[in-house]
Amino acid sequence: MSGVPLARRARSSARRRSSRAAMLIGRPVKLVLPRGQIFHNATFRPLSRHHVTLGSGADGRIAAIRYDADHQQSRKGQFPPSYHESTSRTYSVANYDGTTANVRLDTQDPGYMRAPHPHPAHFALESAIDELAYKLGKDPVAFRLAHENTTDPISGHPISSCFLNDCLAEGARRFGWDRRTMPPGSMTFANGTLVGWGVAGGAYPANMTAAIATLCIGADGSTRIAVTGHEFGQGIRTVIAQLLVRDLGIDPARLEIAIGDTSVAPQHTTAGSWGTASLVPAVEKAAAAIKAQLAELLAGRTLPGNIHRQLVAVRRPFLQVEISNLGPGQEPAALDRLRAGGNAKIGPDYPTFTSFSYIAHFVEVHVEPRTRRVRVPRVVSIADCGRVVSPRTAASQVRGGVTMALGSALREATEVDPRYGGWLNDDLADYVVSVNADIGDIEVAFIDRPDPLLNRAGSKGLGEVSMVGAAGAVANAVYHATGRRVRKMPIRIDDLL
């Protein structure tokens, strides 16, 4: 028997059969898997266990963190239990001891989901920090503000930009945190509904990847840009269009954006919130190169009209540039890896600094007095993702991440059949995700201060960090409402009865 997991062999075999069938009949063959089979074949977020111990000194500050984590793993799987990358550097704590381990089981490979490690890790850490704040009689927001971090305790390098405290302060202001009473169960409605307000912070590595862009501006009014990257809803196309219109004044109606196509540009792996931070500097660099070419053509002359009309005036059919862009300290060999389809990522540890994105979530929960059903009528989330290039798509990213976190905190769990080890709720009738009725108002805002070191655009990743900490804020709000400290996800009704 080979070392390839059974699920992967099954998928590969199915692809081979469908390809062979298409060859035999000379027509495309569509392969459809029932959702139950997807549950048993696809990667998933592994069950993980976190044991966090905090120690406080006489000054009321966190003196040390001991954090042990493990997660379920397949027999041969390689998904790493990397739960300390962001938790060890979110707050200023001098002493941090972390361990991790795999618990190998007979299951398919676990894999990367949104905010793969920071989501569960910050649920654990932020729950523990909230609990310690109560033990010390300190306000949970003020307690976090007292631990602002500016230096990476691992490398000793400065944090390139950290505005987590700004996120906490602005979130508290917008949420109305000063109206919160401290004792659990102290905020109720006339009908007996328990009200809880909770807060949590989050951090996610600010990564970059090597990028290549080819930009062509035509005298006929056309613009075409081919660039490293993919668009699957995160708003990359919108960001690129906004930048080119802003920097070059092109005709947006004649703009062609070629991304996700290996025939026009090498494509990086889309993961880890490095798309915008990598593509925006590349697009801006290409636009600057085009402007330099045009200025050379004009030789000091000022011509009317947009860039297309100016090209007509100087009788040039088009201008074209190809540029490459690397992350800070990244070797040119990364471009070779990119062209070969390999990993060309760098971060969050750069040669002279460390970089993360940050967020603060404020959550209000309502707990019904009899059924103990938990509702989340409002959330305020303030993010530090450096310069915000496209506010509308950025806010959409945060709302999506918060919605995922609410599902994780209150709804989603895959139940294991104790007889055979398979998944019992392997369809959307039984695997409960957040729907419109579960989502209240999600207010999103940004600090919008460029990171001075990470890239020329000053932007950092946002998609992944948007989820980090939100589930911990829900758990902390549930404690404030009920006095029950639930240290697991999802929080179910029977945990509160």
Side-chain angles (χ1 to χ4, degrees):
M1 183 72 75
S2 73
V4 179
L6 178 61
R8 192 179 304 165
R9 292 200 303 274
R11 291 195 299 271
S12 178
S13 177
R15 285 194 294 267
R16 286 196 300 270
R17 288 196 297 271
S18 62
S19 300
R20 182 59 180 163
M23 293 168 63
L24 290 173
I25 66 176
R27 298 177 62 186
V29 173
K30 183 178 181 180
L31 175 65
V32 179
L33 287 177
R35 190 169 294 278
Q37 290 187 20
I38 295 174
F39 266 74
H40 285 82
N41 284 290
T43 58
F44 62 100
R45 190 189 298 277
L47 180 67
S48 58
R49 299 180 298 191
H50 305 257
H51 184 192
V52 182
T53 304
L54 304 182
S56 175
D59 58 358
R61 289 178 51 82
I62 301 174
I65 298 176
R66 172 65 188 269
Y67 187 164
D68 303 303
D70 59 37
H71 69 197
Q72 70 183 121
Q73 181 66 273
S74 66
R75 291 295 179 183
K76 300 292 184 179
Q78 300 300 313
F79 180 64
S82 306
Y83 291 101
H84 301 298
E85 186 175 43
S86 61
T87 52
S88 61
R89 295 181 272 195
T90 302
Y91 300 106
S92 177
V93 179
N95 304 289
Y96 186 104
D97 182 23
T99 68
T100 60
N102 287 307
V103 179
R104 296 200 175 272
L105 305 170
D106 291 313
T107 183
Q108 78 259 36
D109 294 352
Y112 292 89
M113 308 294 285
R114 175 54 57 93
H117 299 100
H119 166 58
H122 280 265
F123 173 83
L125 178 65
E126 294 295 323
S127 297
I129 287 176
D130 200 75
E131 190 165 345
L132 180 58
Y134 268 92
K135 291 282 188 182
L136 296 171
K138 295 183 178 293
D139 175 79
V141 171
F143 189 54
R144 288 172 171 82
L145 289 172
H147 292 82
E148 182 179 19
N149 189 34
T150 59
T151 303
D152 181 351
I154 297 175
S155 66
H157 291 153
I159 303 293
S160 61
S161 65
C162 176
F163 300 115
L164 176 57
N165 272 22
D166 299 71
C167 295
L168 289 163
E170 178 63 13
R173 185 189 69 80
R174 289 173 178 256
F175 195 77
W177 188 261
D178 58 346
R179 302 195 304 272
R180 178 185 187 267
T181 55
M182 183 81 168
S186 61
M187 298 173 64
T188 61
F189 291 143
N191 64 0
T193 297
L194 302 171
V195 179
W197 288 6
V199 63
Y204 193 88
N207 301 316
M208 288 189 63
T209 183
I212 296 174
T214 302
L215 175 61
C216 181
I217 310 289
D220 61 355
S222 66
T223 301
R224 186 176 192 271
I225 185 166
V227 66
T228 302
H230 305 274
E231 169 64 77
F232 51 85
Q234 74 273 46
I236 290 292
R237 289 183 181 275
T238 302
V239 167
I240 292 173
Q242 289 176 336
L243 292 174
L244 293 179
V245 170
R246 182 202 69 188
D247 289 354
L248 296 175
I250 64 162
D251 180 0
R254 299 285 307 279
L255 171 62
E256 178 189 355
I257 300 174
I259 56 177
D261 185 346
T262 55
S263 68
V264 297
Q267 301 298 306
H268 66 72
T269 301
T270 297
S273 282
W274 55 64
T276 298
S278 303
L279 295 190
V280 167
V283 172
E284 290 188 336
K285 195 173 177 181
I290 286 285
K291 290 171 75 173
Q293 283 192 9
L294 182 63
E296 184 178 351
L297 278 175
L298 297 180
R301 292 173 292 171
T302 300
L303 298 180
N306 62 18
I307 188 171
H308 306 291
R309 290 186 177 276
Q310 291 172 11
L311 288 176
V312 172
V314 296
R315 300 183 179 182
R316 282 294 295 268
F318 65 88
L319 292 178
Q320 180 169 313
V321 297
E322 178 178 298
I323 66 93
S324 60
N325 194 67
L326 295 167
Q330 197 167 27
E331 297 293 332
L335 292 169
D336 297 330
R337 294 197 300 273
L338 177 69
R339 292 186 178 97
N343 186 353
K345 166 253 181 187
I346 187 173
D349 304 300
Y350 297 92
T352 59
F353 64 90
T354 302
S355 190
F356 283 84
S357 297
Y358 301 91
I359 197 164
H361 300 282
F362 292 78
V363 170
E364 178 176 329
V365 302
H366 294 172
V367 182
E368 294 184 352
R370 293 184 179 86
T371 67
R372 295 292 181 170
R373 184 180 66 177
V374 179
R375 292 294 194 192
V376 183
R378 70 182 182 115
V379 178
V380 172
S381 300
I382 313 296
D384 165 28
C385 59
R387 171 187 164 210
V388 180
V389 184
S390 175
R392 179 171 295 184
T393 54
S396 178
Q397 284 281 293
V398 176
R399 291 190 179 96
V402 170
T403 300
M404 293 182 196
L406 296 182
S408 182
L410 299 172
R411 301 282 184 271
E412 298 181 44
T414 310
E415 307 296 339
V416 179
D417 186 338
R419 301 167 300 169
Y420 308 114
W423 311 118
L424 288 170
N425 54 335
D426 57 359
D427 59 64
L428 291 181
D430 297 317
Y431 185 87
V432 184
V433 299
S434 297
V435 297
N436 286 350
D438 300 312
I439 307 304
D441 180 64
I442 303 174
E443 181 181 352
V444 178
F446 302 96
I447 301 303
D448 197 13
R449 294 175 63 179
D451 187 299
L453 301 177
L454 187 59
N455 54 60
R456 62 183 289 154
S459 60
K460 300 188 288 188
L462 177 63
E464 306 272 5
V465 78
S466 64
M467 187 180 187
V468 180
V474 172
N476 294 337
V478 167
Y479 172 76
H480 182 235
T482 66
R484 297 280 186 93
R485 185 67 72 178
V486 183
R487 300 187 180 95
K488 68 176 185 64
M489 293 187 285
I491 300 170
R492 299 193 182 278
I493 288 175
D494 48 295
D495 295 319
L496 305 176
L497 292 174

